[in-house]
Amino acid sequence: MTQTILLTGGAGYIGSHTYVALKAAGFEVVILDDFSNAARDVPDRLELITGAPVRLYEGSVLDRGLLARLFTETRIDAVVHFAARKAVGESVAMPLAYFETNCTGLVGLLQEMEAACVHRLVFSSSATVYGIPDVTPTPETAPHRHMNPYGLTKITGELILDALATSDPKWAFGTLRYFNPAGAHGSALIGEDPSDIPNNLMPYIAQVAMGQRPHLQVFGDDYPTPDGTGVRDYIHVEDLAEGHVLSLKSLLETGESHLVNLGTGRGYSVLEMVAAYSAACGRALPYRIVDRRPGDVPIYCATVERARALLGFEAKRDLAQMCASSWAWIQARAQANAAGRPTPPRQDGPYRPRGTPSA
Ligand SMILES: NC(=O)c1ccc[n+]([C@@H]2O[C@H](COP(=O)([O-])OP(=O)(O)OC[C@H]3O[C@@H](n4cnc5c(N)ncnc54)[C@H](O)[C@@H]3O)[C@@H](O)[C@H]2O)c1
């Protein structure tokens, strides 16, 4: 029988790509998203990619009534929990909002899952739980160290899941520590769409390529790396999405929890990123070297052996594909915006089931 997966935050950057990967793998998928950080036309775009109606509940993961209703209306086999606030700087300015969405949201979701007898969840964790690690490539055994409230919420989430799995063996969790997701779907219909100043390097470079920003600031060129700039482990978002499919399959087949890094194990420097994106967009992108930022480490890469051994996960796509897909998406998005492409109107009420019998 087809298994049905709930994706909280499924209209967001990683969630939307995971939606496509799960549908391709034969799962039924239901999205819960409040569109606080997603474009309203993402479900339409997912329908264009998959050729099937999207089942959507619009509302917050903090809305316990909505969660209870969702689990009553639809038999869910497992959950992938993306819904979270993710801006590091914002988390420093408004930590309570981060604790509420990322920690209270997780606890409420787990309580509603318990009530519905659903005991499998994949959790979006992050390499940020390592803080400034002692070793790189960084193994999953490295200690938790938080640098900011956002990191603290991810560590707390991991500890909550750990305590729950210890309390009762019927629970099983896939904890996935993402390194730096980059790129966009090959269709150029979905991708990262920051409404503010991007937190991550690739969307920032993309905005420079689009002429929205004059140049990239490169924070330090005197690190002990081949070209002096910081090195990070970038993973194509479609590879990351496929990692979620493998994690879910493992949970559903074995009932065993796992905690793995999802990266490539290969780092690229900031200047390598600029060169690769310049090749993708066809012009040399301007950048300026400025002082190092406090808290930055020279190299941040994943060890990948555990994900390979436990899940059979292997990232397949390279940096050129990340840049080319990002550039195709950014251009397509800008053209659609310029053409005034209408987005679905918001409807009244706390949620909007879509493509479901109750719609
Ligand atoms: N993108 C990264 O670099 C990165 C790295 C490591 C971990 N993560 C984690 O992965 C997850 C997904 O990240 P992303 O980059 O796709 O972020 P995103 O902001 O694009 O996606 C999150 C989605 O959750 C939704 N959402 C937020 N609060 C909600 C709430 N209360 N109820 C329902 N929906 C809500 C947003 O509208 C959005 O669609 C997050 O948990 C994030 O912390 C992201």
Side-chain angles (χ1 to χ4, degrees), residues 228-243:
T229 64
V231 169
R232 298 290 179 270
D233 185 334
Y234 297 92
I235 176 169
H236 196 298
V237 66
E238 287 197 73
D239 281 328
L240 191 60
E242 286 162 16

Side-chain angles (χ1 to χ4, degrees), residues 12-14 33-34 36-37 60-61 82 84 86 125 150 154 178:
Y13 174 43
I14 305 167
D33 202 299
D34 68 358
S36 55
N37 198 36
S60 174
V61 76
F82 295 105
K86 65 163 185 177
S125 191
Y150 170 70
K154 289 295 171 189
Y178 315 151

Side-chain angles (χ1 to χ4, degrees), residues 129 222 280:
V129 302
D222 54 356

